[in-house]
Amino acid sequence: MRSDNAKTGMQQAPARSLFRALGLTEEELARPLIGVVSSYNEIVPGHMNLDKIVEAVKQGVAMAGGTPIVFPAIAVCDGIAMGHVGMKYSLVTRDLIADSTECMALAHQFDGLVMVPNCDKNVPGLLMAAARLNIPTVFVSGGPMLAGRVKGEKKSLSSMFEAVGAYAAGTMTEEDVEDFANRVCPTCGSCSGMYTANSMNCLTEVLGMGLKGNGTIPAVYSERIRLAKHAGMAVMEMVERNICPRDIMTEAAFRNALTMDMALGCSTNSMLHLPAIAHEAGVELNVDIANEISAKTPNLCHLAPAGPTYMEDLNEAGGVYAVMNEISKLGLLNLDCITVTGKTVGENIKDCTNKNPQVIRTVENPYSSTGGIAVLRGNLAPDSCVVKRSAVVSEMLKHEGPARVFDSEEDAIAAIKGGKIVAGDVVVIRYEGPKGGPGMREMLNPTSAIAGMGLGASVALITDGRFSGASRGASIGHVCPEAAAGGPIGLVQEGDIISIDINANTINMKVSDEELARRRENWVPKMKEVSGYLKRYARQVTSADRGAVLRDE
């Protein structure tokens, strides 16, 4: 056992004394030591129930003959951090989570790990750690929130942000907004639509790193507790069989994940996180293959914000495995990939049927014949940008309009809420990328303000920052190169005509090469003064199309 390095032999007698200080018995020390990585805290609604999940995992590990030992991981609530300096500290935690988990796992020589995450950066951060460590590992998330109910209709956090925009437009009262605030987030759990947290928890299932239901069983269901116990049992079998994350997270598994990303209509943040996780697993995942996969993968689900269904509905319809089974009819999945169950993908999904074709459409009746995410290129984004195509209304799939240029999110929000943005405009927000932000803030406030003010079907938004999975509309993010790195988005001027064709995967500004060259001669980047971790992060971070991973040197 790996843990023997820390607990056996005369040289480790001092360590044994410290294990005994923890109250561990000889019997417990003789068993495999399983680290349970707890993301529990009291500030993230998606994490407030993780203490119960962790206790269930511990029971499962102990029942299967292991000794569970808990240590923590941090997590930021993106919704609470949104719209102020706090959002600069969201994406950057992904690497802190991976690094600190690596430190704890190797310093204490655990034989296996059970990761207990739930929210946006916490899930990919721990998947990165799992790939890097390559110790037998199982994931079990805290589960999604139930949808809220406002005036008899299901609602979620995206509705809340849009209500603020409606208030600015004068179509909702302050009392209406407070009514939403009291009702849209009724339980603990990751926010109830196919936002980033739920996207990544579902893709954890697809990758083979979580058990059936990891992404969809609601946080408040007792079934989630039973799942956690089974996760604790599963890691013990993985330890016995020496099945490790890199055996599971292969190139074929990542292609499966991208395929299901398209079918489920996941958050565009998946296009930031999957390459970063793959990088840690030694797999090169170029965003270019996204369009290749999207071209042959139908979009089968329209969960909020793309449609009126929620995670609880997907769960009742059969969950992620049912969608995988549906997609497998087209031969688009590699069914031979091994998973944390010890079985293959094909064995896992073979009996998982679609129980509600209104929630999970059949491959014969998809929402669209192509996937939910598109990667665009052009002279505005030579290295790529990303849009959640499934959340764009049909009339905005092709759009041309004048650029309204802002060098920060705050300036853009002020203009939108001040009524200065009109139908046909293309809002450009720059210097918000991984380096320029720094931290690549999510733009849920401006996209929600646009939607709330009734401009969602007539205004596009382009940024070198990123979007929450709760954003909808023609919200085009991850523009690469970013402005701070000399990207052409930094050369856009007020009134330039921007042409977007999502179906053709193109995005261009109608400015000649000669004019762009002239502008570049006079261009000076606008770098923000930052300190502490953000300063180090800005110095080390790579571009969004590379997953915004940190440089090794």
Side-chain angles (χ1 to χ4, degrees), residues 43 51 147 151 176 433 441:
I43 190 63
D51 55 343
K151 296 179 181 177
D176 291 332
R441 288 194 287 182

Side-chain angles (χ1 to χ4, degrees), residues 200-475:
M200 294 311 301
N201 282 321
C202 287
L203 294 179
T204 298
E205 256 185 88
V206 179
L207 280 169
M209 291 298 294
L211 300 176
K212 178 187 177 185
N214 178 72
T216 61
I217 298 170
V220 295
Y221 284 13
S222 296
E223 185 182 359
R224 174 73 48 184
I225 300 295
R226 298 197 296 274
L227 179 73
K229 291 177 182 177
H230 283 127
M233 297 176 199
V235 77
M236 293 307 298
E237 182 177 351
M238 292 181 69
V239 169
E240 184 177 342
R241 296 175 59 181
N242 196 31
I243 299 174
C244 296
R246 292 194 186 188
D247 300 322
I248 296 169
M249 289 193 281
T250 61
E251 183 177 354
F254 280 105
R255 288 188 73 94
N256 281 352
L258 277 174
T259 298
M260 292 306 300
D261 195 343
M262 301 301 171
L264 288 163
C266 291
S267 163
T268 52
N269 278 315
S270 61
M271 299 302 295
L272 193 66
H273 299 319
L274 286 175
I277 299 161
H279 175 75
E280 296 290 353
V283 174
E284 186 66 32
L285 193 65
N286 193 310
V287 295
D288 283 334
I289 69 171
N291 286 340
E292 168 206 326
I293 291 173
S294 178
K296 54 189 177 185
T297 307
N299 177 228
L300 305 185
C301 298
H302 264 196
L303 290 103
T309 53
Y310 295 81
M311 296 306 296
E312 62 199 65
D313 301 312
L314 178 59
N315 188 62
E316 295 302 317
V320 173
Y321 277 15
V323 187
M324 293 177 76
N325 200 15
E326 191 68 39
I327 284 293
S328 72
K329 296 175 183 177
L330 300 175
L332 298 178
L333 295 177
N334 186 317
L335 302 181
D336 296 325
C337 295
I338 195 70
T339 71
V340 292
T341 65
K343 299 178 181 177
T344 65
V345 168
E347 291 173 309
N348 286 342
I349 70 174
K350 66 178 180 179
D351 296 321
C352 299
T353 57
N354 181 356
K355 300 174 184 176
N356 189 343
Q358 292 184 320
V359 176
I360 304 171
R361 289 202 175 182
T362 64
V363 292
E364 294 82 16
N365 181 39
Y367 282 102
S368 67
S369 60
T370 53
I373 290 177
V375 175
L376 316 183
R377 272 191 171 80
N379 68 354
L380 183 56
D383 291 345
S384 74
C385 57
V386 180
V387 63
K388 187 171 182 176
R389 176 165 42 198
S390 59
V392 180
V393 294
S394 58
E395 53 265 45
M396 288 299 291
L397 291 171
K398 190 171 184 178
H399 179 76
E400 191 168 290
R404 306 299 309 280
V405 183
F406 305 94
D407 289 338
S408 72
E409 177 189 8
E410 289 82 359
D411 290 347
I413 291 171
I416 295 165
K417 291 185 176 179
K420 296 178 181 179
I421 303 301
V422 299
D425 283 348
V426 177
V427 176
V428 176
I429 305 177
R430 60 196 181 188
Y431 295 102
E432 291 286 6
K435 181 183 295 292
M440 204 179 184
R441 288 194 287 182
E442 288 184 343
M443 301 292 156
L444 181 55
N445 275 328
T447 60
S448 298
I450 287 169
M453 297 186 76
L455 296 171
S458 59
V459 169
L461 194 154
I462 300 169
T463 181
D464 52 9
R466 60 195 177 92
F467 295 107
S468 163
S471 292
R472 62 187 176 99
S475 303

Side-chain angles (χ1 to χ4, degrees), residues 78-100:
D78 279 23
I80 293 173
M82 198 77 66
H84 54 85
V85 69
M87 182 44 67
K88 293 179 183 288
Y89 287 90
S90 172
L91 177 62
V92 303
T93 65
R94 191 184 68 180
D95 295 275
L96 284 175
I97 290 162
D99 291 349
S100 59

Side-chain angles (χ1 to χ4, degrees), residues 7 18 38 45 58 143 214 308 383-384 419 426 453 502 535 549:
K7 66 187 184 186
L18 293 169
S38 172
K58 289 172 66 179
N214 178 72
D383 291 345
S384 74
V426 177
M453 297 186 76
I502 293 172
K535 185 175 182 178
V549 297

